[in-house]
Amino acid sequence: MRADVIVVGAGASGLACAGRLRREGLTVVVHEARDRVGGRIHTFRPADGGPALELGAQVVHGARNPVHALVGADRMTTVPRRITARIVQDGANQDMGVLGGHGRRPPWLLEAGLHRALGPAGGSVGAWLDARGSAHPEGRAAKEWFRQNWAAEPDELSARAVADAHRGDAAVGEGEFAVHGGFDRLPLLLAQDLRIELGDPVQEIRCLPGRVEATTVRGTTSASAAVITVPPPVLAQGRLRITGPDPAVPAAKLAAACRMPLGDGFCAVVTLTREAPDDVITFDVDGRGGFVRCSAGRPEVLFVAKAGAAGALRAAVRRAPALSGLLETVMPWTAGARVAGLTVADWGRDPWTTGAFTAPRTGRADAVRQWAAPVDDTLFFAGEATVTGSRLPWVQGALASGERAAEELLKVLANR
């Protein structure tokens, strides 16, 4: 197979990049390991036709997010704010208002204070919280909040990079939105008119003078250049190999890939034999369930867990008594209900994802720069990992990275 450009991965960044290149008249082949497009955008649709639930990316952040224009304003809905908010702390289910009671600062205000800070210290988020007197239990809730929002331990998160990422995405504005009918409508729209080889992972990219060859499970594709959008651990763990007559990938890039693990992530939709009486979101401060949601009149409970909570939830779903106990704690209305169905997305064990997303860890800014840098005007890199610490690890950052990689490649091709 022959093309002008090979794109490895059909997530948001790969599709955005391929679309930009195709609009410039280039022939592009996208190779995707999975049997679907979207990467970490993964929508669950109940069998009875009920509202879609997201097992990957959850919401669209910001009223000026480019997703609004891509899917159409008529398909965007505001995430409801009229919802009962609860927490679980020390095994007790309580009103979320306790996080801001008795002089305590709620976690979201502490995070807002961090990203508004001018030039926070170069240390960790954990140290930043400790320096501001976030003692137990305020600090405990705040640290779990950061774990669930950043998929990393606060003591490993770079305070400066978290603040910079918030400032870097300020232009998208405020508010949270959902794509009516499911978030996966975005990658489906981006994939239109593109040549995408599904279920065809690239195993090796061989760099040759003036061109590249991608070996996949089905054959070989030859092109002038390739754009790699897979997470760094896919390269570090050898699932994707890059070879050539000389060292095709600088040692610094391989070292960068090894220093950029993704935080653990695990999502589950539990379908019960009972319907929820109310719209509820529960934040599990105890670190066992992450964020848990249900909607009035629906039998599904959605778990979205990262960092340590992802491992705890992964273990719980394997044992019916453990799952039932967790459900009763985070959603007391489920007591006595039976589990009728279970659908999971185990991002941490997915070989093509290896986690939720790439958190900006302390002392890793150089690794991010090395990972994002092109190699010999032939290999280009996109994906949320390439914008770690400068953009939030959400869909708008992935889209922007794909557009940026396309622009870098187009400039090179124009000068050949």
Side-chain angles (χ1 to χ4, degrees):
M1 193 186 311
R2 175 72 190 174
D4 293 319
V5 182
I6 298 163
V7 174
V8 184
S13 60
L15 295 174
C17 180
R20 175 77 172 87
L21 295 172
R22 184 183 179 281
R23 290 192 295 274
E24 294 296 323
L26 298 177
T27 58
V28 184
V29 176
V30 182
H31 289 282
E32 168 56 46
R34 299 180 179 85
D35 60 0
R36 61 174 180 83
V37 298
R40 281 164 276 178
I41 297 174
H42 187 24
T43 301
F44 168 85
R45 290 182 173 81
D48 65 358
L53 297 169
E54 302 301 339
L55 285 165
Q58 295 294 302
V59 298
V60 176
H61 297 268
R64 296 185 295 278
N65 194 301
V67 174
H68 293 267
L70 289 169
V71 304
D74 59 326
R75 287 197 175 274
M76 302 301 297
T77 60
T78 304
V79 174
R81 291 296 183 181
R82 296 177 63 85
I83 187 169
T84 300
R86 310 285 296 177
I87 68 163
V88 171
Q89 189 165 275
D90 297 325
N93 192 298
Q94 309 169 66
D95 188 280
M96 192 175 285
V98 302
L99 293 179
H102 304 292
R104 291 171 60 177
R105 293 163 292 182
W108 50 90
L109 289 186
L110 286 166
E111 182 167 13
L114 171 60
H115 68 75
R116 284 196 303 265
L118 297 176
S124 70
V125 166
W128 186 88
L129 289 169
D130 292 342
R132 275 144 190 82
S134 294
H136 183 85
E138 178 185 270
R140 179 183 166 198
K143 289 182 178 181
E144 185 61 22
W145 177 269
F146 274 96
R147 290 185 189 102
Q148 295 313 309
N149 282 284
W150 289 91
E153 286 298 317
D155 289 340
E156 298 177 359
L157 276 173
S158 165
R160 185 182 300 279
V162 168
D164 287 347
H166 275 289
R167 287 193 287 267
D169 261 6
V172 301
E174 301 294 330
E176 293 184 345
F177 303 83
V179 180
H180 180 68
F183 212 148
D184 63 354
R185 294 193 180 276
L186 172 64
L188 290 173
L189 286 168
L190 292 173
Q192 289 182 353
D193 302 322
L194 292 177
R195 179 169 184 177
I196 302 175
E197 300 293 326
L198 295 175
D200 194 25
V202 175
Q203 300 168 322
E204 179 181 2
I205 293 180
R206 181 168 175 77
C207 298
L208 301 167
R211 64 189 179 94
V212 296
E213 286 184 353
T215 301
T216 76
V217 296
R218 295 188 192 135
T220 301
T221 302
S222 179
S224 298
V227 180
I228 296 171
T229 72
V230 299
V234 174
L235 188 67
Q237 296 169 8
R239 291 187 181 88
L240 171 62
R241 303 182 304 277
I242 301 177
T243 62
D246 298 314
V249 180
K253 186 173 284 290
L254 286 174
C258 293
R259 296 175 63 206
M260 296 178 65
L262 279 69
D264 198 4
F266 189 97
C267 298
V269 175
V270 184
T271 304
L272 301 167
T273 55
R274 180 179 304 160
E275 295 176 350
D278 197 4
D279 296 336
V280 181
I281 181 169
T282 301
F283 168 41
D284 189 350
V285 176
D286 291 344
R288 298 171 59 221
F291 287 103
V292 192
R293 297 174 182 263
C294 67
S295 298
R298 295 300 307 171
E300 300 93 7
V301 175
L302 171 65
F303 287 86
V304 180
K306 304 183 189 77
L313 180 60
R314 183 182 291 115
V317 300
R318 296 195 188 107
R319 297 176 55 247
L323 179 57
S324 295
L326 177 59
L327 280 164
E328 290 184 25
T329 301
V330 297
M331 296 286 174
W333 63 267
T334 66
R338 290 182 293 105
V339 174
L342 175 66
T343 301
V344 305
D346 191 344
W347 300 109
R349 301 288 175 84
D350 185 321
W352 304 109
T353 301
T354 74
F357 45 74
T358 312
R361 289 175 165 81
T362 55
R364 309 292 174 92
D366 60 328
V368 176
R369 288 190 293 269
Q370 289 286 353
W371 177 250
V375 176
D376 293 336
D377 291 341
T378 304
L379 298 180
F380 300 82
F381 293 79
E384 55 85 16
T386 65
V387 298
T388 298
S390 60
R391 300 287 301 266
L392 293 167
W394 298 331
V395 67
Q396 64 267 24
L399 292 169
S401 76
E403 292 279 353
R404 184 258 309 148
E407 290 295 333
E408 291 174 341
L409 194 156
L410 287 168
K411 288 179 182 178
V412 168
L413 293 181
N415 293 325
R416 281 187 180 176

